[in-house]
Amino acid sequence: ECRRKTHIPPGVGVGVGVLLACTLSSACPMLPKSGLMEKDGLKGLPGLAKLDFMLLFAPRRKPIAIRACFLGFVFGCGMLLSFSQSSWSHFGWYMCSLSLFHYSEYLVTAVNNPKSLSLDSFLLNHSLEYTVAALSSWIEFTLENIFWPELKQITWLSALGLLMVVFGECLRKAAMFTAGSNFNHVVQNEKSETHTLVTSGVYAWFRHPSYVGWFYWSIGTQVMLCNPICGVGYALTVWRFFRDRTEEEEISLIHFFGDEYLEYKKRVPTGLPFIKGVKVEL
């Protein structure tokens, strides 16, 4: 029932007009589940009026709507930069990728597992380390763009990074949809009644496809920006993060599913380079 009442925003495009549409329609997935949109005359209202109504009569949704609109604004600005003839055009690609990633994390969770939906589902406040890493990449790009602008004009390298980002994003979202309500942004230490072991779809290729997707997405953002320092730093940092995260999660999965997961673990690799998961003493 929750899924039937989740509103999916319309597509976005290029230009200031579409930027406005993106920022206003971003809030659609956060609309109340109580049939608010079907009340007298509201169903046919344009996006701006619906958003005003939501913020006015559902103030608890306001923090979510603000974040969604902010991400839409960043996406639109990124699109404008992408089509500019400046040395910042590839940073526009990055802005689009970053905003789309965080917005889609919330959107897919809203559609797939609304019970776990929260403000944290945007992953904007993932961790202090994540914030520092992002700021570092912006600073590196800015400084190198000032002193070595030619370094930021390697189009083939940025295109390779964009392909890595697209691959990572698609793989992660495919994993989220395949796992359904089993997917959660937080490693679960207790098994719920509906928790099942998913081994089909992309989970037949990798044991941790969402981590594989995020791994290549994060490194791809730095390849896209032609950031040599952060490129190496990101690769080492995310590898270590997912090595520890994979081991932590697999301990819980072995506890939940026992031999069933151990057999699955033997058949399917993690998908992450040089990471085999938790070692099991026989």
Side-chain angles (χ1 to χ4, degrees):
E1 183 177 359
C2 293
R3 294 186 183 184
R4 289 198 300 271
K5 294 182 180 179
T6 299
H7 294 259
I8 300 177
V12 293
V14 185
V16 177
V18 181
L19 163 61
L20 181 60
C22 177
T23 55
L24 294 178
S25 64
S26 311
C28 289
M30 285 68 68
L31 291 173
K33 298 186 293 180
S34 59
L36 184 63
M37 297 303 298
E38 278 67 38
K39 289 192 175 181
D40 296 343
L42 185 60
K43 187 174 182 180
L45 291 178
L48 179 57
K50 290 177 183 178
L51 179 60
D52 290 341
F53 187 93
M54 182 190 70
L55 296 182
L56 182 61
F57 293 98
R60 288 179 298 178
R61 312 285 178 177
K62 189 172 182 178
I64 300 174
I66 290 174
R67 284 163 175 77
C69 289
F70 170 74
L71 290 173
F73 177 78
V74 172
F75 182 90
C77 291
M79 289 292 286
L80 295 177
L81 263 183
S82 298
F83 287 93
S84 70
Q85 300 300 317
S86 71
S87 58
W88 287 83
S89 60
H90 294 158
F91 194 82
W93 298 7
Y94 169 82
M95 291 173 65
C96 292
S97 303
L98 188 66
S99 58
L100 183 61
F101 170 79
H102 285 288
Y103 177 64
S104 62
E105 287 291 305
Y106 186 94
L107 176 60
V108 175
T109 303
V111 174
N112 226 25
N113 190 11
K115 289 184 178 180
S116 68
L117 193 64
S118 71
L119 197 62
D120 293 337
S121 298
F122 283 110
L123 295 185
L124 289 170
N125 58 339
H126 180 271
S127 64
L128 176 61
E129 292 80 6
Y130 182 82
T131 303
V132 170
L135 290 173
S136 299
S137 70
W138 305 345
I139 293 172
E140 179 182 353
F141 182 91
T142 301
L143 292 177
E144 291 174 351
N145 194 35
I146 293 173
F147 295 105
W148 304 284
E150 65 279 359
L151 179 62
K152 303 305 178 184
Q153 299 301 310
I154 309 177
T155 303
W156 70 265
L157 186 59
S158 293
L160 175 61
L162 180 60
L163 288 176
M164 292 174 66
V165 165
V166 172
F167 166 77
E169 177 79 351
C170 291
L171 180 59
R172 180 169 173 84
K173 296 309 180 287
M176 294 175 70
F177 276 118
T178 303
S181 61
N182 293 287
F183 186 91
N184 200 298
H185 285 121
V186 180
V187 175
Q188 302 297 293
N189 295 318
E190 295 183 6
K191 182 182 179 183
S192 66
E193 295 180 357
T194 59
H195 203 169
T196 59
L197 180 61
V198 180
T199 60
S200 60
V202 290
Y203 285 86
W205 307 343
F206 312 120
R207 293 204 305 272
H208 303 279
S210 66
Y211 294 168
V212 176
W214 200 353
F215 177 84
Y216 286 107
W217 178 91
S218 60
I219 298 175
T221 60
Q222 300 311 298
V223 176
M224 183 193 303
L225 293 175
C226 300
N227 280 353
I229 298 175
C230 282
V232 175
Y234 267 52
L236 295 175
T237 302
V238 297
W239 183 88
R240 183 173 180 178
F241 171 79
F242 285 122
R243 180 198 62 185
D244 297 340
R245 181 72 173 247
T246 296
E247 292 181 358
E248 178 187 358
E249 183 171 309
E250 291 194 345
I251 289 173
S252 295
L253 290 170
I254 292 172
H255 176 68
F256 293 166
F257 302 108
D259 291 340
E260 184 182 3
Y261 186 78
L262 291 176
E263 288 298 319
Y264 172 65
K265 178 177 165 64
K266 291 179 182 177
R267 297 194 315 269
V268 181
T270 64
L272 295 161
F274 308 109
I275 296 178
K276 296 183 178 180
V278 67
K279 295 180 180 179
V280 180
E281 298 292 339
L282 300 178

